[in-house]
Amino acid sequence: MARLGAKRSTRKLKIGRRLGVNLWGQAKSPFNKRKYKPGQHGPTARSGTASDYGKQLRAKQTLKGYYGNIGEKKFRKYYDEAANMKGETNQNMIGLLESRLDAIVYRAKFAPTVFSARQLVSHGHINVNGKRVKISSYQVKPGDVITVSDKAKEMPLVVLALESAERDFCDYVKVDSAGFTATFVRKPAFEDVPYPVLMQPELVIEFYSR
């Protein structure tokens, strides 16, 4: 279990390079040195001026990729649910994405990446209000308490993630690092989310509402 998340590390790097950004703001991202897309023509390829559709598609791919490359069917469901809620659809969609259990595990710094956070959940190392939850897309409610299993507390991946200064905590997830506990305080607004790259949820909404 010490290599939790290792199988998805290559896929994670490919996502960032395909989009042409250091998607998670990691200091060791290879894109920090090689700022072009993968492939033979990556260094010389010209992007040109994207169409409105192209901009919308890229915004969708970027947002979807950031949350661990969520499947298209599931991602579309988030849009549909957000569109049927009161308030602004783009804000609602961000709130739903940030309420995912794997996203909160990542925000609490119990895992170094959203991919390893997803695996912690699926391997049964995360509890919500004292009950084990193995569904990474589980929607956490404000006031819910997330804890790490005793076994996971001893994993280097979890310990090092908590100690890392690469990411800051956010105010909508209250974390007790010593107790390996986090409380989801509230659904955040888009402006509250510490994205390291430009996100354009309004373009995602335009993509799906065409």
Side-chain angles (χ1 to χ4, degrees):
M1 297 298 293
R3 290 180 59 79
L4 189 68
K7 292 182 179 179
R8 310 228 16 202
S9 60
T10 301
R11 184 180 178 187
K12 175 193 67 177
L13 295 177
K14 286 182 178 179
I15 294 171
R17 285 194 61 205
R18 185 180 72 245
L19 292 170
V21 294
N22 181 358
L23 191 55
W24 297 276
Q26 294 178 311
K28 295 183 179 180
S29 170
F31 190 74
N32 291 339
K33 295 182 179 179
R34 184 164 51 186
K35 299 182 181 298
Y36 51 81
K37 295 182 178 181
Q40 179 182 358
H41 303 291
T44 57
R46 296 181 180 180
S47 59
T49 301
S51 63
D52 287 344
Y53 173 81
K55 293 175 183 178
Q56 294 164 2
L57 177 62
R58 179 179 174 81
K60 186 197 73 165
Q61 292 173 330
T62 303
L63 189 64
K64 184 168 71 168
Y66 180 83
Y67 287 96
N69 210 27
I70 297 172
E72 178 59 28
K73 185 176 180 180
K74 181 67 175 179
F75 201 69
R76 174 63 192 245
K77 283 185 177 180
Y78 283 125
Y79 162 74
D80 290 336
E81 184 175 352
N84 288 321
M85 296 168 63
K86 294 181 179 179
E88 298 180 22
T89 303
N90 60 333
Q91 293 281 2
N92 293 339
M93 191 166 184
I94 294 301
L96 290 170
L97 291 169
E98 283 291 311
S99 297
R100 286 174 57 99
L101 181 54
D102 56 0
I104 294 175
V105 169
Y106 176 62
R107 294 289 179 221
K109 295 176 63 173
F110 293 153
T113 70
V114 69
F115 296 96
S116 51
R118 182 175 297 170
Q119 287 191 301
L120 273 177
V121 175
S122 64
H123 290 177
H125 292 299
I126 301 298
N127 299 321
V128 179
N129 299 329
K131 295 183 179 180
R132 183 171 62 178
V133 177
K134 301 176 70 174
I135 302 172
S136 59
S137 61
Y138 176 87
Q139 284 284 297
V140 180
K141 300 178 178 61
D144 283 353
V145 178
I146 294 85
T147 54
V148 177
S149 70
D150 289 340
K151 184 176 181 180
K153 290 176 183 177
E154 300 178 359
M155 291 181 181
L157 175 142
V158 176
V159 174
L160 292 175
L162 274 170
E163 294 176 348
S164 174
E166 192 171 71
R167 291 186 290 126
D168 295 326
F169 293 114
C170 48
D171 62 4
Y172 51 91
V173 179
K174 183 179 180 180
V175 181
D176 174 8
S177 299
F180 293 86
T181 300
T183 302
F184 188 41
V185 179
R186 59 179 174 82
K187 283 188 178 182
F190 169 62
E191 296 78 13
D192 300 329
V193 182
Y195 294 119
V197 298
L198 176 65
M199 293 293 180
Q200 298 174 295
E202 70 281 0
L203 295 185
V204 179
I205 303 307
E206 290 178 11
F207 177 89
Y208 283 121
S209 60
R210 287 176 295 118

